[in-house]
Amino acid sequence: EITELKAHLDSGNIVFITGIPGIGKTYFASKFISEWANNTSILWHKIPENGTMVSLLKAISEFLSKEGQGLLGYQIAFNPEPGYHELLDILKKTMEDCVLVFDDLQNADKNTINFFVFLANNIKHLRKVRIILISDSDIPFLNSKQINKIILTGLDKESVRKILKKKHLEDFEEVYELTKAHPLFLNILRSDSIPNNTLTEYLENDVWKNMLDAEKKVMKTISAYSQPINLGMLVKEKDVD
C-alpha cells in the first residue's frame, strides 16, 4: 500500500484511505509521511464530530500563518465561509510544496466533503500540494477521478504469524479467519491479559456510536438471550406484533 500511496500522490491525485476502525489507517499514513515527506510542510487535522467548513478553514489558515501566509486568515475573519473558487484562488497564491492530511473524514458535513471533491477536480492548479483523506467509512460522493481510494484490510498471514509467534497456536488458520487479521484483536490475543478497557473502548467509541438506532435496538434485544438465536425470529416477532 505504501508504494500505491506514493504513486497516487506523485501523479497529483488526492488519496482517500478507508477501512474499519482500528485497522491502522492513521498509522499507515503517518508512517508513509515520516519516510517520504522529509523537509516538507505538513498539516495533520483531525476533523471533529459534525465538522464544518468553518473549522476546516480555521485549521488550514493557522497552518498557512505558520508558513508566513496570512491571506486566508485575513479573508475568513471577514467571511468565515468563502466560496470554493475564492478559496482556490487564495490557496493558489499561498500554498506550495506541502502535505495536507485530514483524518476522521466521516465526521465532516456534506459541504466539507463537496469542497474536497472540488479541490480534487482542481488539484492541478495547486503547486506540489498533496492531500490525504482518512475515514472509517466509505464516502460514496467522493466520486472524482482525481481521488484514488486505498482500502486497508487485515494484515497478511506472515505478519499475523509474527505477532502471534509466542502463542504457538495450533489453530492458526481459524484464528486468522475469526479475527480477519484486525490489529486490535491480534494485540489482545498476543497479550497475557487484555489491556484495561481496550476492547470496551473500541466497542463503545468505534462500533456502538456509529450504529443506527435500529441496529442498537436489535443488539439490545439479542443481548437478553443466553443462547445464539436466529435473527429471522426477530423479524417474525415484529410482524406478529
Side-chain angles (χ1 to χ4, degrees), residues 68-87:
Q69 300 289 346
L71 181 57
L72 179 58
Y74 176 82
Q75 177 62 38
I76 63 175
F78 291 94
N79 179 12
E81 202 167 340
Y84 294 169
H85 289 280
E86 186 177 355
L87 285 171

Side-chain angles (χ1 to χ4, degrees), residues 4-230:
E4 184 181 359
L5 176 54
K6 186 177 186 305
H8 289 324
L9 290 177
D10 285 344
S11 69
N13 289 350
I14 288 179
V15 175
F16 174 50
I17 303 172
T18 187
I20 60 175
I23 202 66
K25 300 179 295 297
T26 298
Y27 172 78
F28 169 66
S30 61
K31 185 174 186 297
F32 169 78
I33 288 176
S34 66
E35 295 176 356
W36 177 77
N38 293 328
N39 301 317
T40 301
S41 298
I42 299 169
L43 165 64
W44 191 297
H45 176 60
K46 290 181 70 70
I47 297 175
E49 287 193 36
N50 303 313
T52 64
M53 278 292 292
V54 173
S55 60
L56 178 74
L57 293 180
K58 181 181 178 182
I60 296 175
S61 69
E62 289 174 352
F63 165 72
L64 289 174
S65 293
K66 292 178 182 177
E67 297 293 306
Q69 300 289 346
L71 181 57
L72 179 58
Y74 176 82
Q75 177 62 38
I76 63 175
F78 291 94
N79 179 12
E81 202 167 340
Y84 294 169
H85 289 280
E86 186 177 355
L87 285 171
L88 180 63
D89 288 338
I90 293 174
L91 296 181
K92 284 161 58 177
K93 296 174 183 176
T94 60
M95 189 175 281
E96 180 179 6
D97 194 15
C98 60
V99 178
L100 311 179
V101 183
F102 299 98
D103 204 347
D104 288 336
L105 189 66
Q106 72 277 356
N107 292 332
D109 63 11
K110 190 170 182 179
N111 187 28
T112 304
I113 298 295
N114 288 338
F115 173 65
F116 283 121
V117 174
F118 172 81
L119 268 188
N121 291 332
N122 292 276
I123 194 74
K124 62 183 179 181
H125 298 299
L126 302 179
R127 297 167 293 177
K128 295 183 180 180
V129 175
R130 303 165 183 87
I131 300 175
I132 299 174
L133 308 175
I134 304 173
S135 174
D136 285 346
S137 55
D138 195 6
I139 302 178
F141 41 100
L142 280 178
N143 55 5
S144 169
K145 293 181 180 179
Q146 276 65 51
I147 297 179
N148 295 108
K149 184 188 300 183
I150 296 178
I151 303 175
L152 292 189
T153 55
L155 302 174
D156 59 83
K157 284 190 177 182
E158 186 58 34
S159 297
V160 174
R161 288 186 189 279
K162 289 180 180 179
I163 291 175
L164 301 178
K165 63 181 180 181
K166 293 183 179 180
K167 290 296 183 180
H168 305 293
L169 297 174
E170 295 181 1
D171 52 352
F172 173 81
E173 292 295 334
E174 183 179 1
V175 170
Y176 182 82
E177 181 62 29
L178 288 173
T179 62
K180 303 300 182 184
H182 192 296
L184 172 67
F185 297 134
L186 294 174
N187 283 326
I188 290 175
L189 284 173
R190 180 176 61 177
S191 302
D192 293 329
S193 60
I194 296 177
N196 291 339
N197 297 326
T198 296
L199 185 56
T200 300
E201 288 178 1
Y202 169 71
L203 292 174
E204 289 180 351
N205 298 332
D206 293 308
V207 178
W208 183 260
K209 78 171 187 178
N210 291 318
M211 295 177 71
L212 300 174
D213 289 341
E215 293 172 327
K216 291 179 179 179
K217 185 175 181 180
V218 170
M219 293 298 292
K220 288 179 179 179
T221 302
I222 293 175
S223 68
Y225 293 84
S226 59
Q227 298 294 325
I229 65 169
N230 184 339

